[in-house]
Amino acid sequence: MISVNSLTVSFGGHSLFDNVSFLINPKDRIGLAGKNGAGKSTMLKLLAGEQNPTKGEISVPKECRIGYLPQDMIHQHGRTVFEETASAFNEIIAVEKRIEKINKELETRTDYESDAYMHLIEEQTELYTRLEVIGAGAREEQIEKILKGLGFNRNDFNRQTNEFSGGWRMRIELAKLLLQKPNILLLDEPTNHLDIEAIMWLEEFMETYAGAVVLISHDKTFLDNVTTRTIEIVNQKIYDYKANYSRYIVLRQDRIEQQENAAKNQQRIINQYETLIDKNRAKASKAAFAQSLIKKLEKMEIVEVDDVDSTSIQFRFPPPAHSGKIVLTVEHAGKAFGDKQIFSDANFIITKGEKIGLVGRNGEGKSTMMKMIAKKLQHEGSIVLGHSVLQGYFEQDQEEKLDPKKTVFEVIDEAAVGEVRKQVRGLLGSFLFRGDDIDKKVQVLSGGERGRLALCKLLLEPYNFLLLDEPTNHLDIRSKEILKKAILDYEGTIVMVSHDRDFMKGVCNRLFEFREGKVKEHLCDIEEFMQIRKVERLNELDLEKKQSIQKKAEKVPVFDSANANNDKQKSNSNKLKKIEEQIALLEKNIAEIDEKIANPDLFKGIAYDQQFYENYNKLKQELNNCLIEWEKLSV
């Protein structure tokens, strides 16, 4: 489908890719892997045609349509969610207009054997095929299905797009892309702004998607569930694995070990050659032998061990201060913003050492509850911290609250107190801020770097109760695994919100689900909870189908049986009359043609006229169909 041939990309003397080649086949599910800065996002831009290579080429068939979802994009305003999503069908509208134009042209043209006429027929066929692929029918149903799958409610459809956050507007762009059904989907971190249920829906959508998919993601479970092929970008080269992410990690380790063994064996040979050269180069009788060894060394291609980035944050939470057994008591808690009630009557108790997960769709109140516990929002009911509880709060946008004018070192140095101040450099080093990095201003840091700095700041106090709202945002997979281990080893109490299933797996065995204004407790882990939700979602879909069928049935008018029979007889009588007239006309036309065929003089002119016989057979077929219909109506 797409061929990448001898691709080289260079910036200021540094190459991201050097002579890279691979194919993207129909229905491929490819995950791009590699450390930050390796060139994954650049590769997607190249495939999307938004950037040109320094050398080489990317061959894309003319009929191949590419859909690209970047991490950041400019969003359109001035339309409702439904109207903006419906703009995805601009292609269908254009295709339909072109088909209509071709049909009118075909009706007037008579050059049936010409190349131009055949080209029109071919274009018409291609356009009809395209309409079938992208689904020209039932547009409103398709829009509703995609929007609901991505977490929108029907009430959201008529709201203006500028009323939504950047994350929700990104969902609208994803919805438009999925509705366009391109041959190849290029997705750069598509799960960044999705909740767990929307991510699961997207996985299920990908299972039946007809095109190919190339994606970048830091969500390990999503990669494993969607991809079947992994292309790793490392040291300006690529390695292509016919495996999902988890299997690729194992295969990559095998490759590195093989490279290391080959390099060691080669170095042993080099050492032997050098020893023999030094021993024999001064001897006249052995000079030729020494020269041959020197030439072998010069021709030897040195085995390289790929420099795989193994750096990741290294830390553990400090030992927490002691607290009472009851850490948090929530009674009849709720929150409303104006007329909108987010949730109400939440009741639960959290005890010392528990690790609790808050789950549910975006906008149902998880982060609101975290803010209420942290005393950052007024609320209904009561939320009471237990005896000697020291609370630390990592907000979802914690990194945005850092002072942009301060350096990395200043942020941590000013927050540190006591003995911790002597360990600031070491602490920053464990979060990958080393050397000149500590003198960088916060405003020039990437999202991932700001997230790491915010986590580092959280470690400056020995909190015994941590509130973690999306702590894995912008973290790579390895750093997530380190953070997960630190949480598992932490002796204090944790309440966390995360949409990363792999991160939550094995950490939380008690979940509170925020759904439809209520808070429901689940005594299970995230995997069991997702199975429960999957079954519930299927039941909801069945119920929606039944309601839809019932509504359609209610719209069908009910007639009085006697009147209905009279109407039916009347209708049949009219149809019989029309079909008898049509039969008479067809028989007359056929009789006239039969006379021509029977007359020798007239027959000479039509004996080899193919069009004449095609019309004759067509008329007889029409007559036959009319006679069958007449028999049915006469019963």
Side-chain angles (χ1 to χ4, degrees):
M1 186 181 286
I2 287 186
S3 175
V4 177
N5 304 307
S6 305
L7 198 71
T8 297
V9 175
S10 301
F11 300 104
H14 170 71
S15 290
L16 271 180
F17 317 115
D18 185 17
N19 201 32
V20 165
S21 299
F22 61 92
L23 289 173
I24 300 173
N25 303 303
K27 297 191 177 180
D28 263 347
R29 297 291 186 268
I30 300 171
L32 295 183
K35 66 181 182 181
N36 291 338
K40 299 187 296 294
S41 291
T42 300
M43 181 60 80
L44 286 191
K45 288 176 184 175
L46 289 162
L47 293 171
E50 297 204 350
Q51 193 168 314
N52 295 319
T54 309
K55 293 180 184 176
E57 63 174 3
I58 298 175
S59 300
V60 182
K62 182 183 175 183
E63 69 278 3
C64 180
R65 291 168 175 82
I66 296 174
Y68 173 46
L69 182 79
Q71 282 194 54
D72 303 300
M73 61 195 307
I74 298 170
H75 302 283
Q76 302 298 320
H77 297 304
R79 289 194 276 200
T80 66
V81 170
F82 195 91
E83 288 168 345
E84 180 61 31
T85 310
S87 69
F89 291 108
N90 286 345
E91 182 191 354
I92 289 177
I93 295 166
V95 169
E96 287 175 339
K97 284 182 179 177
R98 178 59 184 155
I99 288 173
E100 187 179 350
K101 189 175 179 181
I102 289 172
N103 287 339
K104 285 180 180 177
E105 192 171 344
L106 290 174
E107 286 173 9
T108 57
R109 293 181 69 146
T110 56
D111 54 334
Y112 308 118
E113 302 298 327
S114 69
D115 289 341
Y117 192 88
M118 292 310 296
H119 285 318
L120 280 176
I121 296 292
E122 287 170 8
E123 185 184 356
Q124 183 192 52
T125 304
E126 287 176 6
L127 290 172
Y128 275 124
T129 303
R130 181 61 187 161
L131 276 184
E132 190 177 336
V133 169
I134 56 182
R139 293 176 202 174
E140 291 191 5
E141 289 180 21
Q142 289 182 63
I143 293 170
E144 184 173 335
K145 177 186 173 184
I146 297 289
L147 287 177
K148 288 182 71 177
L150 291 173
F152 289 93
N153 295 315
R154 280 197 181 90
N155 296 337
D156 297 326
F157 291 0
N158 293 319
R159 290 172 60 190
Q160 293 291 311
T161 57
N162 58 9
E163 295 178 33
F164 292 85
S165 67
W168 282 96
R169 290 200 294 272
M170 189 61 77
R171 293 189 190 206
I172 297 171
E173 297 303 323
L174 179 56
K176 287 160 61 178
L177 206 58
L178 297 179
L179 285 165
Q180 287 165 4
K181 299 178 183 176
N183 302 105
I184 295 182
L185 270 175
L186 306 175
L187 305 175
D188 197 347
E189 295 288 356
T191 64
N192 266 1
H193 305 288
L194 302 183
D195 53 50
I196 291 177
E197 291 191 34
I199 292 171
M200 285 186 67
W201 176 87
L202 184 58
E203 287 174 358
E204 291 168 3
F205 184 91
M206 290 296 176
E207 284 179 13
T208 57
Y209 187 71
V213 179
V214 183
L215 64 89
I216 301 167
S217 179
H218 287 151
D219 187 325
K220 183 179 174 183
T221 304
F222 181 74
L223 282 170
D224 281 346
N225 289 345
V226 172
T227 64
T228 55
R229 182 179 165 198
T230 302
I231 294 179
E232 180 189 25
I233 303 171
V234 59
N235 297 343
Q236 305 169 21
K237 305 188 294 287
I238 66 159
Y239 292 93
D240 199 341
Y241 296 88
K242 301 295 186 288
N244 66 11
Y245 184 82
S246 292
R247 180 61 184 153
Y248 142 73
I249 291 295
V250 175
L251 295 172
R252 182 186 67 174
Q253 186 57 38
D254 291 343
R255 184 192 87 221
I256 299 298
E257 288 175 4
Q258 288 170 9
Q259 288 177 343
E260 289 173 345
N261 290 334
K264 285 177 185 176
N265 291 335
Q266 188 182 62
Q267 189 58 49
R268 192 159 44 246
I269 293 168
I270 291 170
N271 293 340
Q272 289 172 356
Y273 281 8
E274 288 175 344
T275 301
L276 289 169
I277 290 167
D278 292 340
K279 187 186 290 185
N280 295 294
R281 71 184 346 156
K283 298 176 183 177
S285 61
K286 298 287 187 180
F289 173 65
Q291 283 300 316
S292 70
L293 291 178
I294 290 170
K295 287 179 180 177
K296 280 185 179 180
L297 280 179
E298 288 173 350
K299 291 179 180 178
M300 189 178 289
E301 190 174 332
I302 301 299
V303 174
E304 292 183 2
V305 178
D306 290 323
D307 181 23
V308 178
D309 183 20
S310 58
T311 57
S312 57
I313 56 176
Q314 300 291 331
F315 78 100
R316 56 183 295 127
F317 290 107
H322 290 291
S323 71
K325 188 173 182 180
I326 303 297
V327 173
L328 183 71
T329 304
V330 176
E331 294 181 331
H332 307 295
K335 180 62 185 176
F337 292 100
D339 296 332
K340 185 175 175 61
Q341 186 75 39
I342 307 300
F343 63 86
S344 61
D345 201 32
N347 296 278
F348 55 86
I349 292 173
I350 296 173
T351 58
K352 183 179 178 180
E354 281 194 293
K355 293 178 175 64
I356 306 295
L358 306 187
V359 296
R361 293 177 296 189
N362 287 344
E364 294 280 3
K366 303 184 299 296
S367 294
T368 300
M369 174 60 84
M370 297 288 260
K371 286 183 171 68
M372 288 161 56
I373 296 171
K375 308 297 182 189
K376 290 186 177 282
L377 273 181
Q378 296 293 320
H379 55 84
E380 304 159 11
S382 69
I383 297 177
V384 181
L385 293 176
H387 179 65
S388 299
V389 172
L390 297 173
Q391 177 181 269
Y393 178 33
F394 183 93
E395 295 185 67
Q396 191 174 130
D397 56 350
Q398 186 74 38
E399 67 272 13
E400 303 300 329
K401 291 179 166 51
L402 300 171
D403 188 338
K405 301 297 182 184
K406 290 181 179 177
T407 66
V408 169
F409 182 82
E410 287 169 345
V411 168
I412 301 303
D413 188 55
E414 290 176 13
V417 291
E419 290 296 311
V420 178
R421 293 201 68 180
K422 299 176 184 178
Q423 305 168 26
V424 167
R425 288 181 183 275
L427 187 61
L428 285 170
S430 69
F431 279 83
L432 308 183
F433 294 107
R434 297 168 184 145
D436 295 339
D437 291 340
I438 67 173
D439 296 320
K440 286 182 180 178
K441 296 278 189 183
V442 170
Q443 63 191 5
V444 303
L445 298 180
S446 67
E449 288 171 327
R450 288 198 299 271
R452 295 202 308 268
L453 186 60
L455 268 176
C456 182
K457 191 177 178 183
L458 190 67
L459 298 187
L460 299 175
E461 292 285 346
Y463 299 116
N464 51 30
F465 180 38
L466 291 175
L467 301 172
L468 305 176
D469 194 354
E470 293 288 357
T472 63
N473 276 357
H474 308 297
L475 293 184
D476 59 40
I477 293 174
R478 281 191 307 281
S479 295
K480 286 181 187 181
E481 289 169 352
I482 298 294
L483 177 58
K484 181 176 178 177
K485 186 177 185 305
I487 288 173
L488 287 169
D489 293 339
Y490 178 61
E491 296 173 3
T493 308
I494 289 178
V495 174
M496 62 186 264
V497 175
S498 178
H499 297 308
D500 190 313
R501 290 157 292 174
D502 185 71
F503 182 73
M504 291 190 75
K505 186 166 62 179
V507 174
C508 304
N509 54 17
R510 190 169 169 229
L511 305 172
F512 291 110
E513 180 189 14
F514 287 69
R515 188 172 186 80
E516 296 176 352
K518 298 296 178 185
V519 181
K520 181 181 178 182
E521 182 178 6
H522 295 269
L523 298 174
C524 62
D525 65 7
I526 190 66
E527 288 184 307
E528 188 178 340
F529 169 75
M530 293 318 300
Q531 287 301 317
I532 292 169
R533 280 299 303 128
K534 194 170 186 178
V535 171
E536 288 177 352
R537 195 165 71 253
L538 288 172
N539 290 338
E540 287 169 4
L541 288 172
D542 285 342
L543 181 61
E544 283 183 8
K545 281 182 182 176
K546 288 176 183 175
Q547 289 174 342
S548 176
I549 291 168
Q550 188 176 348
K551 283 180 182 177
K552 286 178 181 177
E554 287 171 357
K555 289 178 182 178
V556 176
V558 179
F559 298 103
D560 176 80
S561 59
N563 288 337
N565 285 334
N566 289 335
D567 289 343
K568 187 177 179 182
Q569 288 173 3
K570 199 172 184 179
S571 174
N572 283 350
S573 177
N574 290 334
K575 284 180 182 178
L576 268 172
K577 187 177 180 182
K578 284 182 180 179
I579 209 160
E580 284 169 353
E581 289 172 356
Q582 194 173 353
I583 288 170
L585 181 61
L586 286 167
E587 285 177 338
K588 180 186 175 186
N589 291 338
I590 291 169
E592 288 174 357
I593 293 173
D594 286 338
E595 283 180 17
K596 285 183 180 180
I597 294 172
N599 188 321
D601 294 330
L602 294 174
F603 183 68
K604 287 178 185 178
I606 58 173
Y608 301 102
D609 188 344
Q610 187 65 30
Q611 188 70 37
F612 173 86
Y613 287 103
E614 284 180 6
N615 289 337
Y616 181 50
N617 290 329
K618 190 177 178 182
L619 286 171
K620 290 206 290 187
Q621 184 60 49
E622 283 182 28
L623 177 60
N624 186 53
N625 292 339
C626 287
L627 289 170
I628 292 170
E629 185 66 21
W630 182 83
E631 284 183 50
K632 287 180 183 176
L633 293 170
S634 299
V635 175

